[in-house]
Amino acid sequence: MKFLKIVSVFAIVMVVSAFSVNTTVSSGYDIGDIASDFSLENIDGNMVSLTNYTDAKGFIVIFTCNTCPYAVKYEDRIIALDKKYASKGYPVIAIQPNDPDVQPGDSMDAMRARAASKGFTFPYLMDDGQKIYPQYGASKTPHVYILEKTNEGNVVKYIGAIDDNYQDASAVNVKYAENAVDALLEGNDVPETKTRAIGCSIKVKKKY
């Protein structure tokens, strides 16, 4: 009986381990992929798509939210990115991926209030139904995807963190997102195409 119990426990552990591996395999876009367009509601009630930006050279797509401490720490830097690069053809497109039923602080009303209090200069979109962030493969808030507009479509050129210090903007050594956009504007290769996004996990309803 003891041997059977040990075997049973081992089997359960193996099943759980296999499930964990299967559910944590990364998916979504990789460098060089063409990102599909979307149509998401902005805080002003309008629907926003990448095709709306006819003069854009590319996009700084950032999955972010109101409630994650990491995202809050980066808010001023996200505003600075848009102010620096929107006029150069790389606007920030912020997307809130959390399910507001799970995270009420990320409701559309809360998004509007946060954008107004911080003076967001960029669209702040709700990923209603949580359909877009899985396409990208976003797993954190914030999570950055820099796209370059080409004749073939919006090509993914950078994925990861905004910079190397979420805690203190004054202590940043490497500005990953800025370096990527600067390189693209100069017609050069992105120096570092992938980094690890640091932030909170995206909140979804539990499935039973």
Side-chain angles (χ1 to χ4, degrees):
M1 284 295 292
K2 187 174 181 181
F3 173 77
L4 288 175
K5 286 183 180 179
I6 292 172
V7 170
S8 298
V9 170
F10 177 78
I12 291 170
V13 169
M14 290 300 291
V15 169
V16 171
S17 298
F19 177 77
S20 299
V21 170
N22 288 336
T23 56
T24 57
V25 171
S26 61
S27 59
Y29 297 135
D30 201 351
I31 302 302
D33 287 346
I34 304 295
S36 298
D37 201 0
F38 47 73
S39 181
L40 297 175
E41 185 179 0
N42 191 15
I43 50 174
D44 63 3
N46 292 320
M47 302 303 288
V48 172
S49 300
L50 299 181
T51 50
N52 297 148
Y53 294 79
T54 56
D55 296 329
K57 298 175 183 177
F59 303 93
I60 305 171
V61 177
I62 304 179
F63 292 89
T64 187
C65 68
N66 295 346
T67 56
C68 171
Y70 296 86
V72 171
K73 289 241 181 213
Y74 270 113
E75 283 176 332
D76 290 337
R77 280 172 270 183
I78 294 172
I79 293 169
L81 279 172
D82 189 60
K83 287 182 176 178
K84 181 174 182 178
Y85 292 110
S87 61
K88 297 179 181 181
Y90 275 84
V92 165
I93 309 293
I95 301 175
Q96 196 294 103
N98 288 335
D99 186 322
D101 290 338
V102 178
Q103 199 77 358
D106 288 321
S107 67
M108 181 60 84
D109 285 342
M111 289 166 61
R112 292 189 185 102
R114 189 64 183 173
S117 68
K118 291 296 296 184
F120 284 179
T121 55
F122 44 83
Y124 192 20
L125 313 177
M126 172 72 81
D127 186 4
D128 188 31
Q130 298 186 299
K131 298 175 182 176
I132 304 305
Y133 89 79
Q135 290 180 17
Y136 276 73
S139 61
K140 303 290 183 182
T141 52
H143 207 149
V144 181
Y145 292 77
I146 294 177
L147 315 179
E148 181 183 30
K149 187 187 287 188
T150 72
N151 291 333
E152 288 72 39
N154 295 308
V155 181
V156 179
K157 291 291 187 176
Y158 172 79
I159 301 172
I162 293 173
D163 56 43
D164 67 350
N165 195 319
Y166 78 89
Q167 293 180 316
D168 185 358
S170 65
V172 169
N173 291 312
V174 185
K175 297 181 178 181
Y176 303 122
E178 287 197 27
N179 290 347
V181 178
D182 285 341
L184 293 171
L185 288 170
E186 293 167 6
N188 298 325
D189 292 335
V190 173
E192 195 163 4
T193 58
K194 282 178 144 182
T195 61
R196 186 166 68 95
I198 305 295
C200 303
S201 61
I202 293 171
K203 306 301 185 291
V204 299
K205 288 188 179 75
K206 291 182 179 178
K207 296 179 180 179
Y208 297 98

